Amino acid sequence: MDLKFKFVHFAVVVLFLVQLGESQNATFDITKYGAKSDADISEALLSAFKEACQSTSPSTIVIPKGTFQMNQVKLEGPCKGPLELQIQATLKAPSDPNQLKTGEWLTINKLDGFTMSGGGTLDGQGKAAWECKESKKCTKLPNNLSFNSLTNSIIKDITTLDSKSFHVNVNQCKNLTFLHFNVKAPGDSPNTDGIHISRSSSVNVTESTFSTGDDCISVGDQTEQLSITKVTCGPGHGISVGSLGGNPDEKPVVGVIVKNCTFISTDNGVRIKTWPASHPGVVSDIHFEDIMVQNVSNPIFIDQVYCPSGICNKNLPSQVKISNVTIQNIKGTSRTQNAVSLLCSKGAPCEGVEVGDIDITYSGKEGPATSKCENIKPNLKGKQSPNVCSSAGAPAPAPAPARAASSSS
């Protein structure tokens, strides 16, 4: 074959592949659908999504850099191909909670192969809503983000700011990853959980930061195979499995690992919480490993008499069974003398709990760090400082209360 012909043939093939790639990766910029800076982009986003959702090849919806107002939006599949929502902008929710109808601010439903990216910020402008909640004039407030029935999806390089309620709610998702995800809200903002996960499997949260007024990450029922790694939490109420047992027919929580995480000035570190006088439930295969705590009130906490409102029948035990838990290599400083609390249920004592290599110090005037245990006989390994579940010495003080009780604390 002639060399010149070969070159021309090669050039034609490359051009064809480039054109094919362009045709297979469609971009939908919301400014081409009428979106304007500092104006409500809800309709433009819905229009772009409607068109992108019909594409059989991968498509990207772009919200370009700038500041945009956005009312409530629900993007619901299924779509014909993978879809990416690239948020480069700062999106602002209405500050008045009365402007938002029932539901969440941005809801994404029933998508496979979904990506949210772009380095942008979703600003819930929650201050007025928090004041409304504290005065008991508001009841149900919207979350910033709600992900329902997503599969094989990733949320990366996104910040959620000052949500009116939870920053993110994850429900009925499978194979969902949060990467370089940031949550920001004041430490006294009520009920602003970072990510709440329930009825989902194979969720991964990694290399992310949480500063908020409630749990950095909370785990609801029917959660399986959840991985939380390389997360920094603080301020906030820690990373919590629960609260559980408050509702009938809750499904088991199985397979949660929290590893290589750091807690800074939080009300709790790693925690499992269940209600007294509860409905039956199961929590098993939970692993807290390689954790750093800095000035944390309750660094290690199993709480089966969880009752933030104080209106509970603590005489009746929790019926949630906790088993197969490892608490390994947790180091740092406690803000309170009682650094380790393993308060299990007398109705369903904890089983198969292994505690190893704990090194948590307390420098207060009361003396060195202590522990408190009820209805548990843990398997102890390695170094224990403080001595875990030791009968020697005076009884340890009760765990420190959270700064503000809430429905999810």
Side-chain angles (χ1 to χ4, degrees):
M1 184 181 293
D2 181 79
L3 182 62
K4 183 177 180 181
F5 177 81
K6 286 184 178 180
F7 178 80
V8 172
H9 177 73
F10 174 77
V12 170
V13 170
V14 169
L15 180 61
F16 170 77
L17 291 174
V18 169
Q19 291 175 336
L20 180 63
E22 290 176 346
S23 68
Q24 289 182 336
N25 292 276
T27 299
F28 302 84
D29 189 323
I30 65 163
T31 59
K32 296 180 180 179
Y33 295 83
K36 296 180 180 180
S37 182
D38 288 318
D40 181 16
I41 65 166
S42 303
E43 292 303 321
L45 177 55
L46 285 167
S47 296
F49 174 79
K50 184 177 181 180
E51 190 171 337
C53 191
Q54 296 304 309
S55 174
T56 55
S57 57
S59 57
T60 302
I61 300 170
V62 177
I63 304 178
K65 292 182 179 180
T67 300
F68 298 92
Q69 306 295 319
M70 188 176 78
N71 215 313
Q72 284 177 298
V73 171
K74 179 186 287 187
L75 306 179
E76 184 158 306
C79 291
K80 294 182 178 180
L83 188 146
E84 179 174 0
L85 176 58
Q86 194 175 103
I87 303 174
Q88 302 173 7
T90 294
L91 303 182
K92 289 184 173 290
S95 58
D96 182 357
N98 295 317
Q99 287 185 241
L100 298 170
K101 301 174 183 177
T102 301
E104 317 308 342
W105 181 29
L106 176 57
T107 300
I108 313 290
N109 291 347
K110 300 178 182 178
L111 294 177
D112 180 55
F114 172 73
T115 299
M116 180 183 286
S117 67
T121 297
L122 290 99
D123 183 355
Q125 300 202 98
K127 185 177 180 180
W130 305 332
E131 293 171 354
C132 185
K133 183 177 181 65
E134 290 297 306
S135 66
K136 302 188 185 303
K137 294 180 180 178
C138 295
T139 52
K140 178 69 172 72
L141 293 170
N143 304 327
N144 263 10
L145 285 163
S146 181
F147 299 121
N148 304 284
S149 301
L150 301 187
T151 54
N152 308 312
S153 297
I154 183 168
I155 315 300
K156 63 180 181 179
D157 302 315
I158 290 292
T159 296
T160 168
L161 174 68
D162 290 349
S163 181
K164 293 176 174 64
S165 188
F166 289 9
H167 286 265
V168 182
N169 189 61
V170 173
N171 182 55
Q172 295 183 332
C173 293
K174 185 175 182 180
N175 294 331
L176 174 64
T177 293
F178 290 84
L179 173 65
H180 302 154
F181 187 77
N182 302 300
V183 169
K184 296 180 180 180
D188 60 354
S189 55
N191 212 37
T192 52
D193 290 48
I195 302 177
H196 179 72
I197 302 162
S198 63
R199 302 176 186 87
S200 298
S201 63
S202 301
V203 176
N204 178 33
V205 184
T206 188
E207 297 180 34
S208 298
T209 61
F210 296 79
S211 302
T212 192
D214 212 295
D215 291 330
C216 291
I217 301 172
S218 57
V219 182
D221 82 301
Q222 203 174 340
T223 299
E224 298 181 353
Q225 308 310 316
L226 167 64
S227 173
I228 301 169
T229 59
K230 299 179 181 178
V231 160
T232 299
C233 170
H237 293 183
I239 294 177
S240 298
V241 176
S243 56
L244 296 168
N247 298 302
D249 302 320
E250 289 182 350
K251 301 296 192 299
V253 174
V254 180
V256 176
I257 183 165
V258 180
K259 186 179 177 71
N260 291 327
C261 293
T262 300
F263 298 81
I264 303 172
S265 297
T266 51
D267 286 358
N268 307 283
V270 291
R271 176 169 61 155
I272 301 173
K273 52 181 178 176
T274 75
W275 295 91
S278 76
H279 299 279
V282 171
V283 177
S284 67
D285 193 19
I286 310 297
H287 307 282
F288 302 127
E289 301 176 359
D290 304 332
I291 304 295
M292 288 296 300
V293 292
Q294 300 175 22
N295 192 38
V296 170
S297 288
N298 299 303
I300 301 170
F301 200 1
I302 293 178
D303 183 8
Q304 293 210 259
V305 286
Y306 171 74
C307 183
S309 66
I311 307 173
C312 302
N313 186 352
K314 293 187 177 182
N315 294 321
L316 293 178
S318 174
Q319 295 299 321
V320 177
K321 182 69 174 181
I322 297 174
S323 63
N324 299 328
V325 177
T326 58
I327 302 169
Q328 175 71 32
N329 192 29
I330 300 185
K331 300 178 180 180
T333 58
S334 177
R335 192 161 59 206
T336 54
Q337 187 181 19
N338 199 46
V340 180
S341 296
L342 306 179
L343 309 181
C344 296
S345 169
K346 64 182 180 182
C350 298
E351 292 184 350
V353 177
E354 180 178 296
V355 182
D357 295 320
I358 307 301
D359 187 4
I360 302 174
T361 60
Y362 173 69
S363 58
K365 60 183 180 181
E366 298 91 343
T370 58
S371 70
K372 184 177 182 181
C373 299
E374 295 177 358
N375 307 303
I376 182 174
K377 294 180 179 179
N379 180 20
L380 303 179
K381 292 188 175 182
K383 180 182 177 181
Q384 308 294 326
S385 180
N387 291 327
V388 175
C389 300
S390 172
S391 58
R403 281 191 295 267
S406 73
S407 63
S408 65
S409 296

